[in-house]
Amino acid sequence: FWDFLILFFCLPVVIFNEITKKRLLGDMSCRVVPFMEVSSLGVTTFSLCALGIDRFHTATSPQASTRPIEQCQSIIAKLAVIWVGSMMLSVPEILLWQLAQDTSPVSGIVTEYCTMKPSSNLPESVYSLALTYQNARMWWYFGCYFCLPILFTVSCQLVTRRISGTEKKTECRGTRHTQRDSHLNCTIIGLTIIYGLCTTPENVCNIVVAYLSPDMSKQTLDLLNIINQFFLFFKCSVTPVLLLCLCRPLGQAFMDCCCCCCEGCSPDTASSEGSADSKLKTEMSSSIFFNKPRESPPPLLAIGTPC
């Protein structure tokens, strides 16, 4: 959902600015777009950490096969912590950026661009905090939004494989349980690889700009900024598709939902039977990932008289 927000709001603003050299929504977009982009990095980072912890708990659980499905309230609480924490860590971005204008000496056209410079109208304490964040922003990016999710995911995967390899295979950890864990591990590893590949150019550019910015022209800095945003939009586009392809129950549920929306205009018996079949398929596919205890079938009733 956050990737959708990035593509829906930030991508048109960036394209409009590159075409017209005017900033859509003015100074507000200069503050909101970086805030949403950094929040997106935080949401992805802490979500990968939460998935790694969940995989570790599953590997160390003595009765993983009978583990009940997590309640919706618990999942919403975790998502709320991840989202609120990511947005709180991104609040300094609102104070750091502001709109600036530049007049071309050749054509005389006024162009608008966003510059990383705290406003002098801020209170003294807030202004000092914004300057401190600006000075430490490069290493904060590199440590929290690049090293943390990659190292955390790799560590959880290594520990999980270590525990799974040393423990004895019992009946509760059969082929279905192993297949379920392998699918989920591949999903987490795939998301981490995509995230690492898409955030590497931004971290490299941040380090280069921090040490070589006096020797670089404004056109070069703008080009590096566009490259960084392109990789961010690419990550936001690929991540949902990769998640739907690797996580089979989620992808099947998504396709069934799309089919139901397309066939909703003409409900009939065939469509109701198709929806029932799709629901049954979704439940059967979801059993690969969650071994939900099934109820025993009702006993067969005797037919006829006692004679």
Side-chain angles (χ1 to χ4, degrees), residues 16-191:
F16 182 85
N17 183 40
E18 290 300 315
I19 294 177
T20 64
K21 301 302 179 183
K22 297 292 183 181
R23 198 69 184 181
L24 188 65
L25 301 179
D27 185 69
M28 185 181 71
S29 65
C30 286
R31 302 177 185 273
V32 176
V33 170
F35 170 77
M36 294 185 63
E37 292 178 349
V38 176
S39 298
S40 173
L41 298 178
V43 168
T44 307
T45 295
F46 300 130
S47 297
L48 289 175
C49 294
L51 291 174
I53 294 175
D54 182 75
R55 289 290 84 214
F56 176 76
H57 284 169
T58 302
T60 57
S61 177
Q63 296 180 349
S65 61
T66 58
R67 182 182 179 185
I69 298 178
E70 189 173 4
Q71 297 296 326
C72 182
Q73 292 81 358
S74 175
I75 298 177
I76 292 178
K78 293 179 180 179
L79 291 177
V81 171
I82 292 173
W83 280 33
V84 173
S86 302
M87 290 188 289
M88 289 182 63
L89 292 176
S90 306
V91 168
E93 295 289 333
I94 300 178
L95 308 175
L96 194 61
W97 295 87
Q98 61 177 331
L99 184 66
Q101 295 181 348
D102 187 17
T103 304
S104 176
V106 179
S107 60
I109 300 178
V110 178
T111 59
E112 297 179 347
Y113 62 95
C114 297
T115 179
M116 188 186 301
K117 182 180 179 182
S119 176
S120 58
N121 298 328
L122 295 175
E124 186 66 25
S125 58
V126 179
Y127 182 79
S128 61
L129 289 176
L131 286 179
T132 304
Y133 175 79
Q134 181 181 3
N135 295 330
R137 185 174 183 270
M138 176 191 65
W139 296 113
W140 169 254
Y141 249 71
F142 181 73
C144 182
Y145 298 133
F146 182 76
C147 295
L148 177 63
I150 294 179
L151 294 179
F152 203 95
T153 303
V154 172
S155 301
C156 289
Q157 290 294 325
L158 292 178
V159 173
T160 302
R161 291 179 181 273
R162 179 76 174 181
I163 295 175
S164 301
T166 55
E167 67 181 1
K168 295 181 179 180
K169 301 297 182 179
T170 58
E171 294 181 358
C172 64
R173 292 181 177 269
T175 305
R176 180 171 296 181
H177 178 80
T178 305
Q179 183 180 7
R180 179 194 65 182
D181 284 348
S182 63
H183 280 304
L184 292 179
N185 290 333
C186 290
T187 302
I188 298 174
I189 293 175
L191 295 176

Side-chain angles (χ1 to χ4, degrees), residues 2-17:
W2 198 274
D3 291 336
F4 172 77
L5 292 180
I6 294 293
L7 296 176
F8 181 79
F9 181 78
C10 298
L11 182 59
V13 172
V14 173
I15 294 177
F16 182 85
N17 183 40

Side-chain angles (χ1 to χ4, degrees), residues 182-240:
S182 63
H183 280 304
L184 292 179
N185 290 333
C186 290
T187 302
I188 298 174
I189 293 175
L191 295 176
T192 305
I193 291 175
I194 292 296
Y195 179 76
L197 293 177
C198 293
T199 54
T200 297
E202 183 175 4
N203 287 277
V204 173
C205 291
N206 289 338
I207 296 176
V208 171
V209 170
Y211 291 100
L212 301 178
S213 57
D215 302 331
M216 301 175 67
S217 61
K218 183 179 180 298
Q219 291 76 11
T220 305
L221 296 177
D222 293 340
L223 178 61
L224 293 178
N225 186 31
I226 289 298
I227 293 175
N228 296 336
Q229 290 185 325
F230 167 77
F231 277 102
L232 177 63
F233 297 144
F234 179 77
K235 178 191 76 69
C236 294
S237 303
V238 173
T239 299

